[in-house]
Amino acid sequence: MANCPAPRGELTAALAEALARDPGARLPDDAVAGRADPYGDDLQLALYLCYELHYRGLDGVDDTWEWDPGLLRLRHALERAFRSALRADVPPGDDVDSALGDLVTEPLDGHGVTHFLRDEGQLWQLREYAAHRSLYQLKEADPHAWMIPRLTGVAKAALATVEYEEFGAGRAERVHATLFAALMRDLYLDDTYGHYLDAAPAPTLATVNLMSLLGLHRAARGALVGHFAVVESTSPPASRRMVEALERLGGGAAAVHFYAEHVEADAVHEQLVRHEVVGGLLREEPRLAADVVFGIAATLLLEERLGDHLLGAWRAGRSSLRVPLR
């Protein structure tokens, strides 16, 4: 269960005040949501809090808020603003093969976050990166599990295979979220679920909100498959760079193990996702091709925005978090 963070604007202030009361309390109206920057802290935190009620809940918030009609109306307004911004910023397309091919093509002059951490990053930056990623990694496979009842045949079987391994293949100590918690302890970070929510800026929240948005809507199943393809296809090379960064900076055995596990496992997963999850879905529902491409492009857009935020802060010598780590 996550703690409610401090408000970041009129939207989250009003939402926090309502959630502290019984379900049915007065909520912000659509006009407040409409004034908020769709990529900004206020809207992204409000959306994150709405979604968290579908995961482990919020400390001090009545669980029955999860399906409160008023809260669902507010969430719909927030989602509409976020989705509209993504649609405006993502070019349309339906060439799934091309989009998948681009995911596994490593540029010779890569300059992303994991390249930076491998080549010149410092330990404090590595720790910040783990704090950012904890909001996703401690719930890693959960939103993708919402796809299972929405797929059939080959796509369902392949997705369940990947998810089974993400959830530890029947061994609790091997659940990937548990392995990431061990990584956090190796880096002297707090591994409590949601601990760094207050410190996470909007670009971090947006990457997590996207998968929750796609996971909670059956109509977005094609886009969620696209998101899943990005996660599994880009993981092996990025994880290899993180292994090298952690070994160079003395990150600890458990920290190295988390990413080493992903180098091998996700290389196999990438083939399953590409040929059986994506391929199986499109053989059953070819009309979802454009949705798959949108899911890929939207995921890459938000990851790029987060990367720009991290590298911009680090190269300026300042923390990338709203609340710097000790």
Side-chain angles (χ1 to χ4, degrees), residues 175-193:
V175 173
H176 284 193
T178 301
L179 297 180
F180 192 82
L183 172 148
M184 298 183 75
R185 294 192 296 274
D186 252 10
L187 295 176
Y188 298 97
L189 296 169
D190 192 317
D191 66 344
T192 305
Y193 179 86

Side-chain angles (χ1 to χ4, degrees), residues 112-195:
V113 172
T114 57
H115 295 86
F116 176 89
L117 291 172
R118 178 195 64 188
D119 298 336
E120 55 185 300
Q122 299 176 42
L123 185 58
W124 69 270
Q125 295 161 335
L126 189 63
R127 294 178 72 240
E128 284 199 353
Y129 183 70
H132 283 280
R133 287 303 191 190
S134 67
L135 298 187
Y136 164 68
Q137 296 290 358
L138 294 180
K139 60 163 63 86
E140 181 177 1
D142 295 348
H144 294 135
W146 284 322
M147 277 194 291
I148 294 174
R150 295 166 180 169
L151 301 179
T152 60
V154 170
K156 181 193 281 285
L159 174 65
T161 298
V162 175
E163 288 285 272
Y164 178 66
E165 294 183 7
E166 298 284 352
F167 288 125
R171 295 173 58 186
E173 73 277 8
R174 293 185 61 82
V175 173
H176 284 193
T178 301
L179 297 180
F180 192 82
L183 172 148
M184 298 183 75
R185 294 192 296 274
D186 252 10
L187 295 176
Y188 298 97
L189 296 169
D190 192 317
D191 66 344
T192 305
Y193 179 86
H195 178 80

Side-chain angles (χ1 to χ4, degrees), residues 93-108:
D94 60 3
D95 189 343
V96 175
D97 287 339
S98 177
L100 291 174
D102 289 344
L103 291 179
V104 295
T105 302
E106 279 280 290
L108 295 176

Side-chain angles (χ1 to χ4, degrees), residues 229-282:
V230 175
V231 171
E232 298 298 334
S233 298
T234 60
S235 175
S239 294
R240 188 175 299 109
R241 289 189 287 272
M242 288 301 297
V243 167
E244 294 170 4
L246 285 158
E247 288 176 340
R248 179 174 68 83
L249 295 169
V256 170
H257 175 68
F258 174 80
Y259 284 107
E261 177 90 357
H262 282 69
V263 173
E264 296 184 9
D266 288 352
V268 176
H269 292 172
E270 185 268 326
Q271 293 297 312
L272 273 174
V273 172
R274 178 169 186 161
H275 298 293
E276 299 189 19
V277 179
V278 177
L281 172 71
L282 294 180

Side-chain angles (χ1 to χ4, degrees), residues 2-7 12 15-16 19 43-54 57-58 71 197 209:
N3 292 321
C4 277
T12 44
L15 177 58
L19 292 177
L43 185 140
Q44 288 298 326
L45 180 58
L47 198 49
Y48 193 100
L49 295 177
C50 290
Y51 288 144
E52 195 56 41
L53 295 169
H54 296 288
L58 296 165
L71 189 64
L197 177 56
N209 283 339

Side-chain angles (χ1 to χ4, degrees), residues 282-298:
L282 294 180
R283 284 191 292 274
E284 295 282 342
E285 300 184 273
R287 62 185 179 81
L288 295 182
D291 290 348
V292 173
V293 172
F294 170 74
I296 292 172

